[in-house]
Amino acid sequence: MGWMGNKKVHYSISSILMNKKHASLDEAEEVGITIVEGSALFEQVQLDYLTKSYIKTKLAKP
C-alpha cells in the first residue's frame, strides 16, 4: 500500500513477493531489503528509486 504526503512517497509493507512467492523477512534481508516501521529500505539505491517511482506513478493515476 502506498500514498503521497507532503510531496513524499509513504508506503506500508504487508508482504514481500519474490519470484512470485511470499518471502519471509529473513529471505528479504538476504537480498538487501529491510523493514523499518512498516516501510521497506532497499540496500540498492536504484531499486529504492525504481520502487518509489512506481508507487508515485500508480498514485498519480485517477
Side-chain angles (χ1 to χ4, degrees), residues 1 3-4 7 10-11 14 18 20 27-28 30 32 34 37-38 42-44 49 51 53-54 57-59:
M1 173 173 60
W3 64 95
M4 292 291 293
K7 298 182 181 180
H10 300 275
Y11 52 92
S14 60
M18 292 178 12
K20 299 182 182 180
E27 291 170 322
E30 287 178 14
T34 56
E37 295 181 14
F42 300 92
E43 184 178 298
Q44 296 177 2
Y49 172 78
T51 301
S53 295
Y54 177 78
T57 301
K58 288 295 185 181
L59 292 174

Side-chain angles (χ1 to χ4, degrees), residues 11-30:
Y11 52 92
S12 179
I13 304 294
S14 60
S15 65
I16 297 172
L17 292 176
M18 292 178 12
N19 298 324
K20 299 182 182 180
K21 296 179 184 175
H22 289 279
S24 69
L25 293 179
D26 290 336
E27 291 170 322
E29 286 181 2
E30 287 178 14

